[in-house]
Amino acid sequence: MKILTTCLLALLMESFALGATLSNEWFHAELTPQQRDALVQKSLKAPFEEMLPLMLEARVKLRPMMLGYNPPGQTAWNDPGVPDPYRKFMMAEYVWFKHTYGEGNPRKGEVLIELFEETDSSEARRLLFDAMAYAHWIPEMEEPLARFARDKSNPVVRRRQALSTLLNMCDVNKYTPEAIAIIPEHKTDRLKIHAFQALFNLGHDLFKLNEENRRALLNIGFDFMNGLPAGDVHSSYFLARRLGYILRIENEFAPDQFAEKYQSPTGLKENFFTDTVSNAKAWYRENHAKIAPLK
């Protein structure tokens, strides 16, 4: 037993030492190209329990003010044209995705919950929502995400992301009323429509809505569309298509896009989009009683 305890302590000390070394290299050391590649490889081989929190911290702290540089190659962070602030951020993104995504792992799910409960960083929470929903969802995530979504002291955009995760991963009918209720909390019509589209981009899960939720969703959607300025055609267009999908309308209110009157040398003419919106509004004028809220 004494030998086993000594071995465990030695392993723990070795892990702490490795963690301290990696942290120093990620946040403080200036590295050559060879050292960057070596750091990535060491980080990939380190235990995910150690690397997930470190890479989450790195993706938040090392995030440049401006994003968008994306050179090719397996070690793109060494490209001569990459600005220095991007290098370690690109490395951190690579290691995060390699450690975080892949076959579902309940233990990684537990680590993600722990990180979510501990952080007060809005950007970290954004990254964690994606990792929880698309990589390592476990049922234990539902309660803390629901609690977070209901806490109005949290930023509305993050509460919306929590609800989006819950809509995708849990019973869609359970969280649809809360998702509908959060949409008006956004400040502008454009933000409200973006929230509507982001929350209810659920594919065939929209057909699982019970009649009460379905009607509530359709009514708020048509209210938004009818309230938009006439010039905001494209916002209205995408909203009309989503509503048409929920209603299972053929072509989602869109006319025949191959009709000659919609063709131009550069693509579809503007009247294709305006006609789609007009079709949706005409349908609502004739059928709004069919989707009136249930008493």
Side-chain angles (χ1 to χ4, degrees):
M1 178 63 73
K2 183 176 181 181
I3 294 174
L4 179 60
T5 302
T6 302
C7 290
L8 287 172
L9 286 171
L11 286 170
L12 283 171
M13 291 177 67
E14 182 180 349
S15 176
F16 288 142
L18 175 63
T21 300
L22 287 173
S23 181
N24 181 65
E25 290 184 75
W26 275 104
F27 295 110
H28 304 295
E30 294 292 331
L31 305 177
T32 66
Q34 293 76 19
Q35 289 172 328
R36 291 187 202 111
D37 293 344
L39 176 58
V40 167
Q41 292 307 311
K42 281 189 290 185
S43 299
L44 292 174
K45 292 175 183 177
F48 70 83
E49 292 95 338
E50 178 182 313
M51 291 312 302
L52 260 60
L54 185 58
M55 289 302 92
L56 183 65
E57 182 183 5
R59 290 194 69 190
V60 173
K61 287 187 175 179
L62 301 175
R63 187 175 189 268
M65 291 295 292
M66 298 292 290
L67 296 175
Y69 196 86
N70 189 28
Q74 289 295 313
T75 57
W77 46 82
N78 287 331
D79 187 288
V82 174
D84 283 339
Y86 276 83
R87 296 190 188 280
K88 284 187 179 178
F89 177 75
M90 293 169 68
M91 293 159 62
E93 278 197 319
Y94 181 81
V95 174
W96 169 264
F97 278 98
K98 287 291 186 181
H99 265 292
T100 305
Y101 290 88
E103 186 176 352
N105 183 328
R107 176 60 191 133
K108 287 189 180 183
E110 292 170 4
V111 174
L112 292 170
I113 293 178
E114 291 169 10
L115 291 171
F116 179 79
E117 299 266 45
E118 291 170 2
T119 188
D120 59 0
S121 163
S122 180
E123 174 65 9
R125 286 176 175 142
R126 181 185 71 81
L127 297 170
L128 289 166
F129 287 137
D130 285 345
M132 287 189 278
Y134 301 114
H136 304 290
W137 177 264
I138 54 177
E140 291 79 5
M141 291 174 176
E142 181 177 357
E143 192 278 329
L145 262 64
R147 186 173 66 248
F148 178 88
R150 291 164 183 155
D151 184 350
K152 292 194 175 184
S153 68
N154 294 319
V156 67
V157 65
R158 297 294 175 246
R159 292 169 53 221
R160 187 188 78 218
Q161 287 171 330
L163 282 167
S164 181
T165 303
L166 292 165
L167 286 168
N168 277 279
M169 305 309 298
C170 304
D171 178 2
V172 67
N173 281 297
K174 182 177 180 179
Y175 292 103
T176 288
E178 291 179 70
I180 290 173
I182 203 174
I183 294 172
E185 293 185 37
H186 294 73
K187 291 184 177 179
T188 66
D189 287 340
R190 191 174 292 274
L191 288 174
K192 289 172 185 176
I193 290 171
H194 173 74
F196 180 97
Q197 299 283 34
L199 284 163
F200 293 103
N201 183 19
L202 298 172
H204 278 76
D205 280 354
L206 288 169
F207 303 140
K208 298 178 183 178
L209 290 173
N210 61 37
E211 188 62 15
E212 183 178 4
N213 283 335
R214 176 177 170 274
R215 291 186 181 213
L217 185 58
L218 288 168
N219 275 278
I220 193 172
F222 277 107
D223 283 348
F224 284 145
M225 188 171 64
N226 287 323
L228 281 170
D232 199 352
V233 174
H234 289 276
S235 292
S236 298
Y237 167 78
F238 288 110
L239 195 52
R241 296 298 297 263
R242 180 60 49 81
L243 294 168
Y245 179 81
I246 297 169
L247 288 163
R248 301 185 189 237
I249 300 291
E250 185 177 1
N251 296 327
E252 301 163 6
F253 294 122
D256 178 10
Q257 65 177 330
F258 299 106
E260 185 176 351
K261 66 178 180 177
Y262 298 127
Q263 306 304 308
S264 79
T266 58
L268 291 168
K269 292 181 179 178
E270 190 76 359
N271 60 341
F272 172 80
F273 304 100
T274 57
D275 283 358
T276 302
V277 175
S278 295
N279 291 341
K281 290 183 175 181
W283 183 94
Y284 183 69
R285 285 194 299 271
E286 296 173 10
N287 297 278
H288 64 275
K290 294 180 181 178
I291 62 168
L294 294 177
K295 300 298 184 184

